[in-house]
Every structure is written in structure tokens, then in C-alpha cells.
Amino acid sequence: MTDPVADLARRRNDLPAPVDTSVPLPRRILTSWWTWAVVALTVLFVVALFAQYRMLTADTPVTGGVVQGINPSAIRSAFWMALPTLAFWTVVFVWADRYRPQRLLVWYLALGWGMAIATFLSLNVNTWAAQQLAVAGNGDPATSARAAIFVAPFVEEAAKASVLFLIAIVARYRLTSQVSMVVLAGLSAAGFAFTENIIYYARAIVYASQTISVGDADAAVSQLVWLRGFWTCFGHPMFTMMTGIGVAIALRTRSKVVRVLAPIAGYGAAALLHMVFNSQASLNSEDGQRLLYLLVALPLLLTLVLYVVRQVLAQGRVLAARLGDYAQLGWLPESDPVVFARQRSRWWAVLVAATRGWKVFVATVRLQRILTELAYLRDGQVRGIYDEAATVRARALVEQAKALRGIAIDDPRGLKLSLPRLRRQRPLAYVPPSYPGPSGIGGNWPAPVGQPPIGSPGYSAVDPTWGPPKG
């Protein structure tokens, strides 16, 4: 039975419950709320995407005519056009979250939320808001400039960032640094941009194929793909990362005022940047857009990239300092703050472990994750986020790390890869014909060089070269 007081303290600090290893793994998976949350949200993702597909492929009656829906062939072509941008941003954000990577399920939920739920909410709310504004556009109320400037930024940023608040509520303990929130915000925005690009590309394909004045339809669609998929592909991730930074600051501080104002400030900055971007894309001339792109957008992107890089490097300093605290107490070896704070030594340990068997590889990865969690747990105590309940969790993590050290690679310095060696077979030497050995010994011995067979003329039993082969 567990201690009710200790369990209450753990829940108040939002610390995870200890895992009962006596329960079989399949049963733990089936009884985990993460499993059923993923199943439920996956069903929700599929329903939201199917609803958008039905909405986009159906004809929409408007004043003065009907807006023809997008055909499935155009959507399939647009999917492959938008996929490289999604793959690029996914690799970038997952690589950035390398010190303490989130669970694969958390990445999946953030990406799927932006791809399905955020786009579904934005598509419906933007269309409804544009209709309420009674904007006179080109026949499609969702494409009016006024709705794109004053409605879409607030709606889309709220839809993309809602998954950040959801994860912060149910799994605040997992969000240890600003990099974690930036990565989740970027994945949500990348998924949102992927679905939005499919819609834009498919509409361009249908319009270019039906309008003669467009000229070369392939060139027109290719120009749009380069514009949205390459030159301005950083727009949505950059906007939503502002909200992610605000939420991360709120989670890693003790001040209640900052916890309230930081997410609001981040969301306001994201919506403001989005509004400026849409206004310039809708109202400014091509020369003005190019000037703002070079003087405003790219410097802002470079500043944000440098900020994220500094935060990634700061994670190494946090690991060195906090693991050093435990090393001074004697809980950890003195080599841990040096080894586990350097990304190169961590990668080398995983690479060496991969060449020594699956069991060693799994133990090494688990050891790195446990010690990283231990360091951020100590960092939370220093910041005043956790109270004495974190000490119980820290002791459990130290015991888990101690149990893994006999299998895992905890200090890879001086170790080499254990690769299989390819042995070169030497050619067999010439073996002379054998002859019967002397009685009582048995077997056949190779005939010595220059020694005639037994019983033949010239045979000498005292010849020093005669006898069994040496070695």
C-alpha cells in the first residue's frame, strides 16, 4: 500500500507515479491513460480530416453563382507537393529536442493536432466570421483580405496553441525547458501548415486548369509551391513558437503573475506577427513584400533561431550543474556531470551500445533519459517549482540508474565500436601424401620431405626428419 500523504504530495507537484515493474508490460500499456488518449485523439484526427475533405470537395453556393469544390486528384497532387516542407520541419524540431526528447506519442499528438484539429477549427471559424462580416470578395468569403487580417491570425494561433495548454495541464512534468515547448509548438504549426498548403495547392491546381488567362498552369502552381513551401515556410512555426516560449516561461517560474502574463504575451506576439504577415501579403505590392521579407522577416527568423540554439546549449550547462549537485552528495559518480552534459559523449555512448546488442542499447538510452530527468528535477527544486516531494522521486531515479549501470554504457570515453571482424581465410598449404605410422601409435603421418615410404629402399628409421608433424 502507498503512503496517502506522499501520494498527495506527489500529485500536488505533478510528479509521475512510480512504475510497478511486477505488472506485465502488455497490461501496463492497456491500463495506461496515454494509450487510450492516443486512440481517442487518433479517431478525432481522422474525423476532422474527413470533415474537411467533405467540405472542400463539395460545391459551395455563394451570391451570384457556385464555388466549385476541389477534386480528389488535385488533393492527391497537392499532398505530395506539401510533404517535403512537413518532413523538413519535423526533422528540424525533433533534432532540436535531443537532450530530453519527448515521448513519440507527445510528438505525434502535437503534429496531429495542428494537422487535423487546428485546421478544422480555423477553417470553420474563419469561414463563419467572414460570412458574418459580409465581406465582398471574389466569391469565396474565406479568402477575403479583411478576414485574413483581423480574424484568421487570432483564430489560427489559438487553434494551434491549444495543444500546448492541453499538454501543459496533463503532463506539465514532461515540459522541462523552453526547448520542449518550442519543439511542440513548431510541430503543431508544421502540421497546420501542411494541411493548409494542401488546400492552397489544390485550389491553385483546379483554378489554373480551368482558367485560360492563367497561362502555364504548371508554372503557376510551381510558383505558389516555392512561395509557401520554401520562401515563407517558416511563417507558421515562427508565429506559434512565440506562444510556446510564453508557456515555457510560465511553467518554469514560481511567480503567479508571470504564469498568467507570459502565455498571454506570447499569444499576443504570435497573433500580431501573423496579422502583419497577412496584411503585407494581401495589401502590399510585390516590391514592398520583398523589402519587408529581407529587412523584417529574415532578421526576425535569424533572431529566433539564435535564441533556440542558445537554449539548446543552455540545456548542457543545466545538466552539468544539477548532476554535479548529486555527484557532490555522493549519489552519482563524478564522471556523470561531464559525460551526460555533452551531447557528443551521449551520442557516442548510444552508438557504442548499438554495436553491443539490443539489451545494452536500450539500457543506455534509458540511463540517459533517467539522468536527464534527474537533472531537471533538481533544477525544478532550485527554482522553487517542486517541494520536498521531489526528493523521493530523485531517490527512485538514482536507484533506477544504479540498476542500469551494469548493463548500460555510462562512460564511453576510450571505448571503441564493437564491430564484427571479417577474418580472411588463408589458402591451405600443400599436404604431402600420408603413410602409416609406426605400430602402437596409429594414424597416418605426412611423409617427411626426402624420406621414402616405409619399407622402400633407402628408408632409414633413425632419420631425424622423420616423425609426426610439429605443432
Side-chain angles (χ1 to χ4, degrees), residues 201-215:
Y201 297 163
R203 284 178 174 173
I205 292 172
V206 174
Y207 181 80
S209 62
Q210 295 177 353
T211 306
I212 301 178
S213 60
V214 174

PDB file of all heavy atoms in Angstrom, residues 201-215:
ATOM      1  N   TYR A 201      -2.638  24.573 -52.497  1.00  0.00           N
ATOM      2  CA  TYR A 201      -2.120  23.986 -53.731  1.00  0.00           C
ATOM      3  C   TYR A 201      -3.236  23.354 -54.555  1.00  0.00           C
ATOM      4  O   TYR A 201      -3.270  23.489 -55.790  1.00  0.00           O
ATOM      5  CB  TYR A 201      -1.063  22.926 -53.408  1.00  0.00           C
ATOM      6  CG  TYR A 201       0.162  23.451 -52.701  1.00  0.00           C
ATOM      7  CD1 TYR A 201       1.041  22.577 -52.039  1.00  0.00           C
ATOM      8  CD2 TYR A 201       0.450  24.813 -52.654  1.00  0.00           C
ATOM      9  CE1 TYR A 201       2.159  23.045 -51.385  1.00  0.00           C
ATOM     10  CE2 TYR A 201       1.561  25.283 -51.993  1.00  0.00           C
ATOM     11  CZ  TYR A 201       2.422  24.396 -51.349  1.00  0.00           C
ATOM     12  OH  TYR A 201       3.527  24.852 -50.692  1.00  0.00           O
ATOM     13  N   ALA A 202      -4.145  22.657 -53.887  1.00  0.00           N
ATOM     14  CA  ALA A 202      -5.248  22.019 -54.618  1.00  0.00           C
ATOM     15  C   ALA A 202      -6.152  23.062 -55.268  1.00  0.00           C
ATOM     16  O   ALA A 202      -6.591  22.888 -56.421  1.00  0.00           O
ATOM     17  CB  ALA A 202      -6.050  21.136 -53.667  1.00  0.00           C
ATOM     18  N   ARG A 203      -6.438  24.149 -54.556  1.00  0.00           N
ATOM     19  CA  ARG A 203      -7.240  25.212 -55.156  1.00  0.00           C
ATOM     20  C   ARG A 203      -6.541  25.833 -56.349  1.00  0.00           C
ATOM     21  O   ARG A 203      -7.163  26.151 -57.367  1.00  0.00           O
ATOM     22  CB  ARG A 203      -7.547  26.288 -54.110  1.00  0.00           C
ATOM     23  CG  ARG A 203      -8.632  25.898 -53.108  1.00  0.00           C
ATOM     24  CD  ARG A 203      -8.834  26.985 -52.075  1.00  0.00           C
ATOM     25  NE  ARG A 203      -9.966  26.688 -51.194  1.00  0.00           N
ATOM     26  CZ  ARG A 203     -10.279  27.397 -50.131  1.00  0.00           C
ATOM     27  NH1 ARG A 203      -9.529  28.452 -49.798  1.00  0.00           N
ATOM     28  NH2 ARG A 203     -11.325  27.069 -49.392  1.00  0.00           N
ATOM     29  N   ALA A 204      -5.213  26.012 -56.240  1.00  0.00           N
ATOM     30  CA  ALA A 204      -4.458  26.580 -57.359  1.00  0.00           C
ATOM     31  C   ALA A 204      -4.457  25.639 -58.558  1.00  0.00           C
ATOM     32  O   ALA A 204      -4.547  26.087 -59.707  1.00  0.00           O
ATOM     33  CB  ALA A 204      -3.029  26.873 -56.915  1.00  0.00           C
ATOM     34  N   ILE A 205      -4.376  24.349 -58.306  1.00  0.00           N
ATOM     35  CA  ILE A 205      -4.395  23.385 -59.409  1.00  0.00           C
ATOM     36  C   ILE A 205      -5.730  23.428 -60.136  1.00  0.00           C
ATOM     37  O   ILE A 205      -5.792  23.466 -61.379  1.00  0.00           O
ATOM     38  CB  ILE A 205      -4.105  21.971 -58.866  1.00  0.00           C
ATOM     39  CG1 ILE A 205      -2.658  21.870 -58.375  1.00  0.00           C
ATOM     40  CG2 ILE A 205      -4.365  20.918 -59.934  1.00  0.00           C
ATOM     41  CD1 ILE A 205      -2.345  20.571 -57.660  1.00  0.00           C
ATOM     42  N   VAL A 206      -6.818  23.438 -59.385  1.00  0.00           N
ATOM     43  CA  VAL A 206      -8.146  23.485 -60.006  1.00  0.00           C
ATOM     44  C   VAL A 206      -8.357  24.796 -60.746  1.00  0.00           C
ATOM     45  O   VAL A 206      -8.851  24.825 -61.885  1.00  0.00           O
ATOM     46  CB  VAL A 206      -9.233  23.269 -58.931  1.00  0.00           C
ATOM     47  CG1 VAL A 206     -10.623  23.472 -59.524  1.00  0.00           C
ATOM     48  CG2 VAL A 206      -9.118  21.881 -58.335  1.00  0.00           C
ATOM     49  N   TYR A 207      -7.986  25.907 -60.128  1.00  0.00           N
ATOM     50  CA  TYR A 207      -8.198  27.212 -60.757  1.00  0.00           C
ATOM     51  C   TYR A 207      -7.347  27.368 -62.014  1.00  0.00           C
ATOM     52  O   TYR A 207      -7.812  27.855 -63.043  1.00  0.00           O
ATOM     53  CB  TYR A 207      -7.864  28.314 -59.752  1.00  0.00           C
ATOM     54  CG  TYR A 207      -8.064  29.706 -60.292  1.00  0.00           C
ATOM     55  CD1 TYR A 207      -9.339  30.271 -60.354  1.00  0.00           C
ATOM     56  CD2 TYR A 207      -6.987  30.463 -60.733  1.00  0.00           C
ATOM     57  CE1 TYR A 207      -9.531  31.549 -60.841  1.00  0.00           C
ATOM     58  CE2 TYR A 207      -7.165  31.749 -61.237  1.00  0.00           C
ATOM     59  CZ  TYR A 207      -8.445  32.288 -61.282  1.00  0.00           C
ATOM     60  OH  TYR A 207      -8.625  33.555 -61.782  1.00  0.00           O
ATOM     61  N   ALA A 208      -6.070  26.943 -61.943  1.00  0.00           N
ATOM     62  CA  ALA A 208      -5.188  27.092 -63.102  1.00  0.00           C
ATOM     63  C   ALA A 208      -5.603  26.203 -64.253  1.00  0.00           C
ATOM     64  O   ALA A 208      -5.414  26.553 -65.424  1.00  0.00           O
ATOM     65  CB  ALA A 208      -3.749  26.788 -62.687  1.00  0.00           C
ATOM     66  N   SER A 209      -6.191  25.051 -63.946  1.00  0.00           N
ATOM     67  CA  SER A 209      -6.616  24.147 -65.015  1.00  0.00           C
ATOM     68  C   SER A 209      -7.923  24.581 -65.668  1.00  0.00           C
ATOM     69  O   SER A 209      -8.229  24.123 -66.777  1.00  0.00           O
ATOM     70  CB  SER A 209      -6.774  22.728 -64.453  1.00  0.00           C
ATOM     71  OG  SER A 209      -7.773  22.708 -63.442  1.00  0.00           O
ATOM     72  N   GLN A 210      -8.689  25.473 -65.035  1.00  0.00           N
ATOM     73  CA  GLN A 210      -9.974  25.894 -65.575  1.00  0.00           C
ATOM     74  C   GLN A 210      -9.975  27.317 -66.106  1.00  0.00           C
ATOM     75  O   GLN A 210     -10.934  27.725 -66.752  1.00  0.00           O
ATOM     76  CB  GLN A 210     -11.055  25.767 -64.490  1.00  0.00           C
ATOM     77  CG  GLN A 210     -11.317  24.346 -64.041  1.00  0.00           C
ATOM     78  CD  GLN A 210     -12.333  24.262 -62.931  1.00  0.00           C
ATOM     79  OE1 GLN A 210     -12.758  25.292 -62.397  1.00  0.00           O
ATOM     80  NE2 GLN A 210     -12.740  23.046 -62.585  1.00  0.00           N
ATOM     81  N   THR A 211      -8.917  28.078 -65.841  1.00  0.00           N
ATOM     82  CA  THR A 211      -8.860  29.481 -66.253  1.00  0.00           C
ATOM     83  C   THR A 211      -7.791  29.645 -67.319  1.00  0.00           C
ATOM     84  O   THR A 211      -6.598  29.380 -67.070  1.00  0.00           O
ATOM     85  CB  THR A 211      -8.551  30.378 -65.050  1.00  0.00           C
ATOM     86  OG1 THR A 211      -9.510  30.119 -64.010  1.00  0.00           O
ATOM     87  CG2 THR A 211      -8.638  31.845 -65.443  1.00  0.00           C
ATOM     88  N   ILE A 212      -8.194  30.107 -68.485  1.00  0.00           N
ATOM     89  CA  ILE A 212      -7.259  30.239 -69.604  1.00  0.00           C
ATOM     90  C   ILE A 212      -6.288  31.385 -69.364  1.00  0.00           C
ATOM     91  O   ILE A 212      -5.129  31.329 -69.772  1.00  0.00           O
ATOM     92  CB  ILE A 212      -8.042  30.443 -70.919  1.00  0.00           C
ATOM     93  CG1 ILE A 212      -8.972  29.251 -71.164  1.00  0.00           C
ATOM     94  CG2 ILE A 212      -7.096  30.642 -72.086  1.00  0.00           C
ATOM     95  CD1 ILE A 212      -9.823  29.389 -72.400  1.00  0.00           C
ATOM     96  N   SER A 213      -6.729  32.428 -68.697  1.00  0.00           N
ATOM     97  CA  SER A 213      -5.886  33.608 -68.502  1.00  0.00           C
ATOM     98  C   SER A 213      -4.671  33.337 -67.634  1.00  0.00           C
ATOM     99  O   SER A 213      -3.727  34.136 -67.610  1.00  0.00           O
ATOM    100  CB  SER A 213      -6.714  34.743 -67.883  1.00  0.00           C
ATOM    101  OG  SER A 213      -7.237  34.338 -66.626  1.00  0.00           O
ATOM    102  N   VAL A 214      -4.665  32.227 -66.916  1.00  0.00           N
ATOM    103  CA  VAL A 214      -3.521  31.904 -66.080  1.00  0.00           C
ATOM    104  C   VAL A 214      -2.294  31.608 -66.923  1.00  0.00           C
ATOM    105  O   VAL A 214      -1.158  31.892 -66.542  1.00  0.00           O
ATOM    106  CB  VAL A 214      -3.856  30.709 -65.161  1.00  0.00           C
ATOM    107  CG1 VAL A 214      -2.637  30.247 -64.387  1.00  0.00           C
ATOM    108  CG2 VAL A 214      -4.964  31.088 -64.195  1.00  0.00           C
ATOM    109  N   GLY A 215      -2.488  31.043 -68.093  1.00  0.00           N
ATOM    110  CA  GLY A 215      -1.370  30.687 -68.952  1.00  0.00           C
ATOM    111  C   GLY A 215      -0.859  29.295 -68.629  1.00  0.00           C
ATOM    112  O   GLY A 215      -1.622  28.316 -68.651  1.00  0.00           O
TER     113      GLY A 215
END
